[in-house]
């Protein structure tokens, strides 16, 4: 009798059992404990199902039923890297840091491969992630091999840094779970542009632990542009201290299934968090943005604007939770979710969730869902502009509006190009 | 030449145009006046191809070509232009991009070469100066935050760029101050010539002092009930529509 390789959660647990003595840091007791605890949580919960409230609209069934192997051993030699967005970049192939492909010389701070620098990372690894709450973070903790460890000292301007993730197609399904740690000391700044590309049947399951200290500012642009065979499930944990700012802008335009999950906590007075993005899905694709903002200190501001564009038979999800704790007086919270449905079969689920325990707060949220405006379309066409081009102009206008808030020009340029590239691909198949 | 014969049209099953007969010969400017709700805008929409209007009978041709079967953009390429009563705001679409895209689309449709950014800018600046429009209006979103009068001027700018052979101006004078009325009228008059015709929809005789029409038509309850020379507008201004109704 032959036994089939276990799939889904069981497959990953079996993989952990087999690999645990070989994973990076296998001889470090603290890390072994971290991984073992995560394995217990993952074994208990498995992949989330739609019965779980936070996963009500996103079905991970295909992921849970698939059999994902490890990435192959290091691929040597030349690779087609995406066009750089910044002079400094850290390149990861199949989740593994590639110093040979990276350009990190001359940085005024540390940007290192995690696997080789676990001792330095020890105090921060696992400090923010909640494997007991999020099974995907448990899976990541259990099996991560590598990641980027950024540590910017107090007062240092880190400039622009690019994090490139490339997944190669080994011809069989594989999974990788990078763990990225980003720390900004008091008053430090950084613009981090993350580009994810990849092909083949793969699961990219990154976890970020981001710490923004007093008065520091992190701008985090994300371009999730993997091909339509890729599952991209990312979880970000961010904590923002007094007068610090975390600015996240995500373009999700490509993968078969994207989950962009962000947990941000404003822990000191006058901290700010901006979470914006544009998510797009074409026929057969699913995009999900799930945010949760914890206002735990007074005088903090949060702004969220997400735009969704759906074509064909596709599905979009936006879930946004804002928790305002009793001590978070004078909170200024705003959340807006706008969706443009370009086909009859496209569907969007939108769930704002406000939990407010302070009495002196300003919190608003709104959502719009609609097709392209018929009057606008007619107006353009009476000016001689063909229907398809008129539609493209209106979709671009809708998306570009989302990007207008991005002040960093390099980042805005990269985001705009990603949006336009997606739309021209849709126009080409239509 | 625009020729409309026996045109009836309905929206949501409600008949609005009840048999319109109208001819605007090439080189002429005609005015349409009529009470609120009589169907003036409806006529302009039906001629430009707006969705939701069903033509139940009749024909409309521009220079001998049936326009009712065409897409709106094809009508534009064929030489038709509509200045909207209520121009649409397009947030996120830059006015310059919009104008250049429109101009090049129409030029392409007419078999003419497209203009590059520099050529376009030169032409646009020239036309804007004539209309006393500040150049920063090119940078803004189409009609976004424009005042009522600025929107109307932007419509005339589009007309001046697209060079239609037949323009329908739907209450372009409403919302214009006295100076703007003169500027816009000059803009229309500058286009007058043997290859340009216009249908000017208005409620006010005042506009017709500046844009002197060859003919004036009165549209009431979906029909042209009276036509005459420019003096008809003055007559209406003095006596209102009741006199026409009584006579009709
Ligand atoms: N969707 C609709 N369903 C039913 N009736 C409509 C619809 N749209 C317009 N109408 C009606 O058609 C009639 C003609 O409207 P239209 O806008 O053409 O009038 P108008 O002559 O341009 O008036 P005004 O001078 O006020 O601009 C009006 O009675 C209007 O209420
Ligand atoms: Mg009208």
């Amino acid at each position: 009798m032959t036994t089939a390789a276990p799939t889904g959660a069981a497959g990953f647990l079996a993989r952990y059992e087999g690999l645990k003595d070989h994973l990076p840091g296998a001889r470090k007791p603290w890390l072994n404990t971290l991984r073992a605890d995560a394995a217990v949580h993952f074994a208990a919960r498995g992949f989330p199902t739609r019965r779980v409230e936070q996963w009500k609209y996103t079905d991970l069934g295909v992921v849970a039923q698939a059999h994902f192997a490890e990435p192959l051993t290091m691929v040597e030699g030349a690779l087609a890297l995406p066009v750089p967005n910044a002079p400094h970049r850290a390149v990861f192939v199949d989740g593994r840091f590639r110093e040979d492909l990276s350009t990190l010389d001359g940085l005024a701070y540390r940007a290192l491969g995690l696997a080789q620098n676990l001792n330095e990372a020890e105090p921060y690894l696992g400090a923010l992630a909640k494997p007991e709450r999020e099974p995907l973070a448990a899976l990541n903790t259990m099996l991560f091999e590598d990641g980027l460890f950024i540590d910017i000292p107090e007062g240092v301007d880190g400039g622009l840094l690019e994090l490139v993730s490339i997944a190669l197609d080994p011809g069989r399904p594989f999974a990788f779970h990078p763990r990225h740690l980003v720390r900004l000391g008091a008053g430090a700044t950084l613009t981090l542009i993350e580009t994810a590309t990849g092909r083949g049947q793969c699961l990219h399951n990154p976890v970020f632990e981001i710490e923004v200290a007093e008065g520091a500012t992190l701008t985090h642009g994300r371009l999730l542009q993997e091909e339509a065979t890729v599952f991209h499930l990312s979880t970000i944990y961010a904590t923002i201290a007094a007068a610090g700012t975390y600015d996240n802008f995500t373009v999700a335009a490509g993968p078969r299934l994207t989950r962009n999950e962000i947990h941000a906590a404003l822990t000191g007075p006058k901290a700010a968090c901006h979470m914006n993005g544009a998510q797009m899905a074409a026929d057969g694709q699913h995009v999900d943005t799930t945010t949760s903002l914890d206002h735990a200190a007074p005088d903090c501001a949060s702004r969220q604007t997400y735009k969704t564009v759906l074509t064909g038979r596709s599905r979009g999800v936006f879930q946004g939770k804002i928790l305002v704790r009793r001590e978070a007086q004078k909170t200024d919270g705003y959340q807006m979710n706008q969706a443009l449905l370009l086909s009859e079969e496209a569907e969007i689920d939108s769930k704002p969730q406000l939990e407010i325990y302070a009495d002196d707060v300003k919190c608003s949220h709104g959502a719009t869902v609609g097709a392209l405006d018929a009057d606008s379309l007619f107006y353009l066409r009476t000016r001689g502009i063909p229907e398809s081009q008129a539609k493209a102009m209106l979709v671009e206008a809708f998306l570009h509006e989302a990007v207008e808030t991005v002040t960093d020009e390099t980042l805005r340029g990269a985001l705009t190009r990603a949006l336009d590239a997606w739309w021209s691909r849709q126009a080409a198949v239509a | 030449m625009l020729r409309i014969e026996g045109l009836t049209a309905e929206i949501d099953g409600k008949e609005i145009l009840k048999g319109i007969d109208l001819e605007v010969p090439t080189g002429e400017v005609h005015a349409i006046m009529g009470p609120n709700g009589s169907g003036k805008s409806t006529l302009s929409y039906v001629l430009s191809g707006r969705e939701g209007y069903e033509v139940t009978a009749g024909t409309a041709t521009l220079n001998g070509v049936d326009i009712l079967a065409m897409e709106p953009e094809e009508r534009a390429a064929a030489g038709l232009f509509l200045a909207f009563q209520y121009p649409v705001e397009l947030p996120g679409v830059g006015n310059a991009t919009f104008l250049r895209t429109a101009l090049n689309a129409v030029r392409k449709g007419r078999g003419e070469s497209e203009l590059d950014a520099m050529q376009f800018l030169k032409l646009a600046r020239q036309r804007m100066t004539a209309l006393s429009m500040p150049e920063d209006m090119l940078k803004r979103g189409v009609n976004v935050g424009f005042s009522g009068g600025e929107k109307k001027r932007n419509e005339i700018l589009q007309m001046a760029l697209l060079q239609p052979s037949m323009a329908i101006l739907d209450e372009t004078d409403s919302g214009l101050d006295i100076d703007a009325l003169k500027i816009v009228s000059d803009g229309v008059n500058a286009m007058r010539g043997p290859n340009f015709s216009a249908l000017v929809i208005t409620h006010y005789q005042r506009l017709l002092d500046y844009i002197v029409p060859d003919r004036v038509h009165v549209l009431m309850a979906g029909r042209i009930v009276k036509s005459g020379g420019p003096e008809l507008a003055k007559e209406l201004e003095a006596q209102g529509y009741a006199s026409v109704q009584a006579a009709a």
Side-chain angles (χ1 to χ4, degrees):
Chain A
M1 195 183 94
T2 59
T3 49
T7 59
F12 284 113
L13 286 162
R15 209 154 286 283
Y16 168 67
E17 285 305 321
L19 283 171
K20 63 183 177 187
D21 296 332
H22 311 283
L23 285 167
R27 279 189 296 276
K28 301 180 196 301
W30 63 272
L31 189 49
N32 283 337
T33 308
L34 202 67
R35 291 194 197 270
D37 288 349
V40 170
H41 294 302
F42 191 66
R45 307 270 297 278
F47 278 102
T49 67
R50 294 187 54 190
R51 284 191 296 274
V52 179
E53 183 63 18
Q54 297 88 327
W55 290 88
K56 193 170 159 195
Y57 304 114
T58 295
D59 190 352
L60 284 184
V62 253
V63 177
Q65 277 142 37
H67 171 79
F68 294 103
E70 260 55 62
L72 294 178
T73 29
M74 207 75 100
V75 188
E76 296 295 342
L79 266 180
L81 293 176
V83 182
N85 287 305
H88 295 291
R89 59 176 178 177
V91 177
F92 289 78
V93 176
D94 295 343
R96 291 169 183 139
F97 180 54
R98 289 288 298 268
E99 194 163 10
D100 57 326
L101 301 174
S102 302
T103 46
L104 295 170
D105 291 341
L107 288 180
Y109 55 91
R110 292 191 297 177
L112 312 163
L114 181 67
Q116 299 302 318
N117 296 278
L118 285 164
N119 288 340
E120 285 81 352
E122 180 185 349
Y124 319 114
L125 215 168
L128 302 175
K130 296 258 187 300
E132 68 281 12
R133 197 180 62 194
E134 275 87 46
L136 293 175
L139 174 61
N140 175 286
T141 306
M142 187 171 93
L143 284 171
F144 81 85
E145 279 189 51
D146 211 340
L148 183 61
F149 175 36
I150 303 174
D151 190 6
I152 308 190
E154 195 178 319
V156 169
D157 176 6
L160 204 58
L161 177 67
E162 188 171 20
L163 165 53
V164 179
S165 166
I166 304 169
L168 297 174
D169 179 9
R172 57 179 175 75
F174 75 102
F176 59 109
H177 319 267
R179 184 65 160 258
H180 306 295
L181 308 178
V182 183
R183 302 194 63 242
L184 269 69
T189 55
L190 177 69
T191 297
L192 179 65
I193 302 182
E194 187 192 340
T195 314
T197 64
R199 49 199 155 83
Q201 294 254 318
C202 81
L203 166 63
H204 183 188
N205 176 41
V207 166
F208 285 79
E209 294 184 273
I210 295 173
E211 208 185 308
V212 178
E214 285 80 15
T217 298
L218 174 62
T219 303
H220 185 187
R222 313 187 71 210
L223 299 115
L224 314 182
Q225 294 183 285
E226 287 126 324
E227 287 183 8
T229 47
V230 174
F231 300 99
H232 184 113
L233 310 174
S234 64
T235 314
I236 294 177
Y237 299 90
T239 172
I240 306 121
T245 300
Y246 176 55
D247 216 333
N248 177 301
F249 196 106
T250 303
V251 170
R256 170 169 171 191
L257 190 162
T258 308
R259 167 90 160 187
N260 168 26
E261 180 171 328
I262 308 174
H263 301 268
L266 298 156
T267 59
K270 295 201 157 58
C273 182
H274 309 139
M275 301 194 285
N276 300 304
Q279 55 175 4
M280 291 90 96
D283 203 44
Q285 294 178 326
H286 183 109
V287 279
D288 171 341
T289 294
T290 294
T291 66
S292 119
L293 247 165
D294 182 352
H295 276 268
D299 297 310
C300 293
S302 63
R303 293 266 169 289
Q304 297 182 64
T305 304
Y306 283 96
K307 301 235 178 191
T308 304
V309 177
L310 303 175
T311 70
R313 186 186 293 274
S314 65
R315 191 149 180 195
V317 178
F318 174 78
Q319 307 184 97
K321 179 178 166 181
I322 302 179
L323 165 67
V324 181
R325 293 178 192 266
R326 191 168 295 119
E327 56 273 33
Q329 297 296 355
K330 307 270 184 219
T331 285
D332 180 2
Y334 171 84
Q335 182 189 85
M336 185 49 140
N337 161 44
Q338 298 173 312
L340 189 53
L341 272 47
L342 298 177
S343 93
E344 303 266 308
E345 297 115 325
E347 237 181 275
I348 175 101
D349 292 295
S350 178
K351 195 181 78 177
Q353 194 185 342
L354 268 53
E355 261 180 58
I356 302 177
Y357 299 102
D359 43 34
D360 184 13
V361 302
K362 208 169 82 189
C363 255
S364 61
H365 70 90
T368 62
V369 177
L372 282 178
D373 180 55
D375 289 345
S376 304
L377 207 52
F378 176 61
Y379 188 69
L380 289 171
R381 296 179 72 191
T382 61
R383 272 46 179 160
I385 301 171
E387 187 177 14
S388 61
Q389 199 181 353
K391 280 185 179 169
M393 284 174 81
L394 294 175
V395 173
E396 274 174 29
F398 177 80
L399 291 171
H400 286 187
E401 243 187 344
V403 188
E404 268 169 22
T405 53
V406 177
T407 46
D408 186 280
E409 265 179 50
T410 310
L411 177 57
R412 197 172 56 238
L415 295 167
T416 306
R417 279 193 298 281
L419 297 176
D420 292 350
W422 180 80
W423 177 250
S424 50
R425 278 203 306 282
Q426 302 321 307
V429 293
Chain B
M1 138 110 98
L2 175 70
R3 175 177 291 170
I4 304 168
E5 280 175 359
L7 186 66
T8 68
E10 56 182 50
I11 181 156
D12 294 337
K14 185 179 160 195
E15 187 164 84
I16 310 288
L17 302 183
K18 298 176 178 164
I20 304 256
D21 292 295
L22 181 66
E23 236 180 70
V24 186
T26 306
E28 291 192 7
V29 170
H30 289 201
I32 292 189
M33 302 183 82
N36 294 131
S38 56
K40 303 183 296 298
S41 294
T42 302
L43 175 62
S44 70
Y45 290 146
V46 168
L47 293 176
S48 337
R50 188 184 186 128
E51 258 174 52
Y53 295 86
E54 203 193 330
V55 174
T56 44
T59 58
T61 59
L62 181 62
N63 304 324
V65 184
D66 173 17
I67 54 169
L68 294 181
M70 294 181 178
E71 298 294 335
E73 55 268 32
E74 294 170 338
R75 300 181 200 206
L80 187 71
F81 180 85
L82 168 63
F84 281 60
Q85 181 174 1
Y86 304 109
V88 179
E89 294 189 13
L90 304 175
V93 181
N95 208 20
T97 310
F98 161 65
L99 293 170
R100 185 152 87 95
T101 308
L103 179 57
N104 281 336
V106 162
R107 288 180 68 97
K108 200 172 157 195
R110 293 178 191 159
E112 297 164 6
S113 68
E114 297 186 20
L115 298 189
D116 66 28
M118 288 310 293
Q119 292 168 314
F120 163 76
L121 213 58
K122 198 170 157 221
L123 184 66
R125 283 203 184 113
Q126 207 181 334
R127 298 279 190 257
M128 288 177 85
T129 312
L131 290 165
S132 303
M133 289 174 76
E135 206 184 307
D136 84 311
M137 279 194 175
L138 279 181
K139 298 196 193 93
R140 291 160 64 181
V142 179
N143 295 326
V144 178
F146 286 26
S147 74
E150 287 168 344
K151 284 181 185 166
K152 295 303 175 76
R153 250 184 263 199
N154 205 29
E155 295 291 287
I156 297 303
L157 172 63
Q158 292 165 44
M159 179 181 76
L161 287 169
L162 300 183
Q163 293 285 315
S165 58
M166 173 75 220
I168 305 170
L169 310 179
D170 192 356
E171 292 194 31
T172 300
D173 54 336
S174 70
L176 291 182
D177 65 39
I178 299 158
D179 293 342
L181 184 65
K182 174 121 189 20
I183 290 164
V184 163
S185 302
D186 288 347
V188 177
N189 287 332
M191 298 211 32
R192 291 182 84 156
N195 299 317
F196 176 77
S197 337
L199 200 51
V200 179
I201 298 171
T202 184
H203 286 295
Y204 304 106
Q205 143 67 21
R206 197 184 46 180
L207 175 72
L208 305 181
D209 284 340
Y210 293 108
I211 306 174
V212 181
D214 296 293
R215 300 280 293 166
V216 175
H217 309 276
V218 182
L219 181 66
M220 287 177 81
R223 280 195 192 89
I224 304 282
V225 293
K226 194 171 180 179
S227 299
E231 70 289 347
L232 177 55
K234 295 199 172 72
E235 218 176 289
L236 289 169
E237 182 102 334
Q239 297 167 27
Y241 292 110
S243 60
V244 184
Q245 201 143 33

